[in-house]
Amino acid sequence: MLEYLSINSLGVIEETTVELDPGFNVVTGETGAGKTMVVTALNLLLGARADAGAIRAGDSKATVEAGFVLPADHRAIGAAEEAGAILDEDNHDRHLVITRAISASDSGTRSRATAGGRGVPVALLSEIGENAVAIHGQSDQLRLKSTTAQRHALDSYGGKSIAKALAAYRQTYTSLQEVSNQLQELIHQAQERALEAENLQRSLEEIDNANIQDDEDEEVQERIKRLESAEEFRDAARMATTALSGDDYNLDASSAESLVEAARQVIAQAPGQVEKLEEIGKRLTSVGIELADITAEISQFASSLDDEGPAALNQAQSRLAELNRLKKLYGPELADVIRWAEEQRPRLDELHGDTDRIEYLEQEQQKLTDRLQQEGTELTSLRQKAGERLGKEVTKELHGLLMPTAQFSVAITPAELPGPYGFDDIALLLQPHPGSDPRPLGKGASGGELSRIMLALEVVLANTDPVPTFIFDEIDAGVGGEAAVQIGRRLARLAKHVQVIVVTHLPQVAAYADKHLRVNKAPNVDAGFTTSDVSELVGEDRISELARMLAGHADSSSAREHAKELLETSH
């Protein structure tokens, strides 16, 4: 609800602040006093286009400010908090202050807005306003003007049964969209995915056939080095063998083995038995045996070089080239090649499973389509029943507002395509008199009639689709007498559920208000302009204002008696 409204230098109002009642507030005043400036100020706070012509004569800037009290989970509060607004907390409620300033300059009209002390785009005020305030005026019926708002109003009126059916439908609709998108993606990309599978299959087979091991490339490189040096190794082995065991082609050449054997024989042939020499002889024998073993090992090594030969070198070089190629494609190291293959196997399985996946998704799509058809049909049926009830109730209210031939109805027609909210296009229609065609709200109705239509609709919807604050500007235009009394009664009924602010010239309406505000006009002839402010009327002052509205002046005794009677009968 609106706690207060402050206006500075707007129209004829120089400066005023009014506290508002949570129930029924009425604004009255003489013609030209500036009653509509209250609505103009609220429109500015709700994001309306700024007009420098609304700035009070002689001033360079106009400002308006309003304080809202809304539940913490209200959508308007969420929008303000996302914009960085600072809010005061009061139990489960939040206090939000919004301002709008307009000024004129050589370049045109300038406008600035704040919410919760933070500068915000004017568009944010519209977002806050559409969730917090509904304005019904002579020129613009802001609430329920869109088909979306009308659908939401009908669904809210339908209660839990529609809410449950709509939730089930939306869940199925979302699932169907997801399945359909996946299916279309698979179908449209089938050729690309088949090519990907073929290439991936070839790569994995290549890696598997290579049967590579970690660090195998380093081992092969070492082997290549050894094979490339085989001739040098053979020469070294031959020379070492010759030195150890002699040369078969030069029998006179000395060798390590023959020299050691000669030394052993000399020691063995020494006369007598000398323990020390015997020990040396034994050691020489051991040395001879060790030299023979070394010679045999060198010969064996040389023989192995002969066995491997050039073919082994070619084979090793080919293996290294293969490993390097795989590293270049999938590496940079062999371990990375192995890891890449393991990571890609699930993708290959997925690609090979496309056919099964497509078949499964087609079955799931059909299942969800059938379910959506069933749930959408049920939702339409519930809406039709709710629409019939809503039409009857609103029509009854219109008859009470002295529109006796008007018929209100809800048209539910098939949409071109199923949407996230069902199969239906929903429109609120009015048949002003028998024989005429039902027409959408706002078509063919005067501003006053449309305001009464919206009042009837809001009274019926008050328990199910409430907006915290309703504003009606000149809702009573062109009516009087009993119709005015009926309008006052219904506004009072609406105010039991939400805050209502009404700008009116009818005393029958004003008498029902919980709070009566008057716009006071004070012409300044010398200065050439009029100044107005707003004050609350209570007691005798309120009776005087109602008398003025009844008879044209406040001092008429009969008018004052009538005013007292209006107050007594309306409360």
Side-chain angles (χ1 to χ4, degrees):
M1 56 162 274
L2 270 168
E3 282 188 295
Y4 70 88
L5 175 66
S6 293
I7 304 173
N8 288 277
S9 300
L10 185 68
V12 296
I13 297 178
E14 180 178 12
E15 182 178 0
T16 191
T17 298
V18 294
E19 303 289 334
L20 296 167
D21 190 89
F24 187 1
N25 301 267
V26 69
V27 181
T28 64
E30 297 180 4
T31 301
K35 299 188 298 296
T36 58
M37 284 300 102
V38 174
V39 177
T40 299
L42 288 167
N43 273 315
L44 285 171
L45 288 168
L46 302 180
R49 184 181 180 86
D51 181 6
I55 301 174
R56 186 172 180 271
D59 291 332
S60 61
K61 182 175 72 171
T63 60
V64 290
E65 177 182 303
F68 288 88
V69 180
L70 297 167
D73 58 354
H74 194 276
R75 283 176 289 181
I77 293 298
E81 288 179 331
E82 287 181 5
I86 300 174
L87 308 176
D88 292 332
E89 299 184 11
D90 180 13
N91 294 325
H92 299 295
D93 293 332
R94 299 291 184 270
H95 294 257
L96 170 65
V97 176
I98 60 176
T99 68
R100 181 86 180 274
I102 58 174
S103 59
S105 64
D106 294 337
S107 59
T109 303
R110 300 179 61 186
S111 174
R112 186 171 63 87
T114 68
R118 298 292 180 90
V120 297
V122 173
L124 179 67
L125 298 188
S126 299
E127 185 177 353
I128 293 173
E130 70 183 11
N131 292 308
V133 179
I135 297 181
H136 298 301
Q138 286 286 300
S139 59
D140 192 10
Q141 302 290 339
L142 297 183
R143 175 162 157 81
L144 302 182
K145 65 179 180 180
S146 69
T147 56
T148 298
Q150 293 180 14
R151 174 191 52 75
H152 177 73
L154 176 63
D155 288 350
S156 297
Y157 175 80
K160 293 182 179 179
S161 59
I162 286 184
K164 182 178 179 180
L166 179 58
Y169 173 92
R170 283 179 57 79
Q171 183 176 356
T172 302
Y173 181 86
T174 300
S175 298
L176 178 58
Q177 292 297 107
E178 292 174 353
V179 168
S180 298
N181 290 338
Q182 292 178 31
L183 180 59
Q184 289 304 311
E185 181 181 359
L186 283 177
I187 293 174
H188 289 162
Q189 297 179 359
Q191 185 174 1
E192 295 179 6
R193 293 169 69 90
L195 180 60
E196 181 186 354
E198 182 180 350
N199 291 334
L200 190 54
Q201 178 74 41
R202 187 182 301 113
S203 295
L204 291 175
E205 288 178 354
E206 183 178 47
I207 293 172
D208 290 342
N209 292 335
N211 193 27
I212 59 178
Q213 306 295 324
D214 285 344
D215 301 327
E216 182 185 356
D217 52 342
E218 296 179 2
E219 296 175 3
V220 173
Q221 285 174 342
E222 289 298 322
R223 185 181 179 196
I224 289 173
K225 289 180 181 180
R226 182 167 59 84
L227 292 172
E228 288 177 337
S229 303
E231 191 60 36
E232 297 176 7
F233 290 148
R234 275 192 287 269
D235 290 342
R238 186 172 52 255
M239 293 174 63
T241 301
T242 299
L244 290 173
S245 62
D247 188 350
D248 293 338
Y249 300 98
N250 186 4
L251 299 178
D252 295 332
S254 299
S255 68
E257 291 182 13
S258 62
L259 293 175
V260 169
E261 177 60 22
R264 186 191 66 76
Q265 291 179 4
V266 169
I267 294 299
Q269 294 174 0
Q273 299 219 354
V274 179
E275 183 176 352
K276 185 66 175 176
L277 290 177
E278 289 179 355
E279 181 180 345
I280 290 173
K282 291 177 181 179
R283 290 174 62 190
L284 287 171
T285 300
S286 297
V287 169
I289 296 171
E290 183 67 20
L291 287 175
D293 288 342
I294 292 173
T295 301
E297 288 185 19
I298 293 175
S299 297
Q300 185 178 2
F301 171 73
S303 298
S304 69
L305 292 177
D306 292 336
D307 292 339
E308 290 181 330
L313 177 60
N314 290 336
Q315 183 180 8
Q317 290 173 335
S318 298
R319 180 60 173 175
L320 182 61
E322 174 68 5
L323 296 177
N324 287 335
R325 188 180 67 83
L326 293 175
K327 288 196 297 182
K328 184 177 180 180
L329 291 174
Y330 314 108
E333 303 296 334
L334 285 182
D336 298 316
V337 177
I338 297 172
R339 187 182 307 111
W340 182 89
E342 294 306 314
E343 291 174 351
Q344 294 304 312
R345 292 187 200 282
R347 174 61 175 170
L348 182 60
D349 292 339
E350 176 186 343
L351 293 171
H352 282 161
D354 275 0
T355 302
D356 293 340
R357 180 66 176 167
I358 288 174
E359 182 178 345
Y360 167 77
L361 289 175
E362 287 176 339
Q363 294 174 353
E364 192 68 13
Q365 183 185 52
Q366 186 59 53
K367 186 188 306 180
L368 290 170
T369 300
D370 294 342
R371 186 193 305 170
L372 190 74
Q373 181 64 41
Q374 178 182 352
E375 292 172 346
T377 301
E378 180 183 357
L379 180 59
T380 298
S381 176
L382 291 171
R383 282 173 171 165
Q384 289 171 340
K385 293 176 182 177
E388 291 176 4
R389 297 197 307 271
L390 180 60
K392 290 178 181 179
E393 289 195 45
V394 175
T395 296
K396 181 179 178 181
E397 292 294 328
L398 289 174
H399 293 172
L401 290 169
L402 300 190
M403 296 179 67
T405 61
Q407 294 290 325
F408 182 88
S409 61
V410 181
I412 301 175
T413 56
E416 185 176 349
L417 292 171
Y421 295 95
F423 297 166
D424 314 312
D425 284 333
I426 296 171
L428 305 182
L429 305 178
L430 178 72
Q431 183 183 26
H433 53 79
S436 61
D437 294 328
R439 304 188 66 185
L441 293 186
K443 302 291 185 180
S446 68
E449 288 176 331
L450 185 54
S451 292
R452 276 181 281 165
I453 295 166
M454 296 309 297
L455 173 59
L457 185 56
E458 299 295 11
V459 168
V460 173
L461 294 175
N463 286 324
T464 60
D465 187 33
V467 169
T469 299
F470 285 89
I471 300 169
F472 293 91
D473 182 19
E474 301 290 350
I475 189 176
D476 44 29
V479 300
E482 180 60 23
V485 172
Q486 294 299 330
I487 288 174
R489 286 177 180 172
R490 280 159 177 79
L491 287 168
R493 281 171 53 192
L494 182 62
K496 294 183 182 299
H497 304 284
V498 296
Q499 184 184 45
V500 176
I501 302 171
V502 179
V503 178
T504 185
H505 67 278
L506 289 180
Q508 296 94 330
V509 172
Y512 279 91
D514 300 311
K515 190 166 195 172
H516 192 147
L517 302 171
R518 173 184 165 88
V519 180
N520 307 298
K521 179 172 64 174
N524 189 328
V525 179
D526 295 333
F529 57 79
T530 297
T531 298
S532 297
D533 63 7
V534 183
S535 60
E536 181 182 358
L537 301 180
V538 295
E540 290 299 320
D541 290 336
R542 187 175 187 187
I543 292 173
S544 296
E545 174 65 4
L546 291 176
R548 179 196 67 76
M549 297 170 73
L550 284 164
H553 56 86
D555 297 329
S556 169
S557 59
S558 61
R560 293 181 68 86
E561 288 301 318
H562 190 184
K564 292 179 182 179
E565 182 181 354
L566 279 176
L567 287 173
E568 290 174 357
T569 57
S570 60
H571 288 83

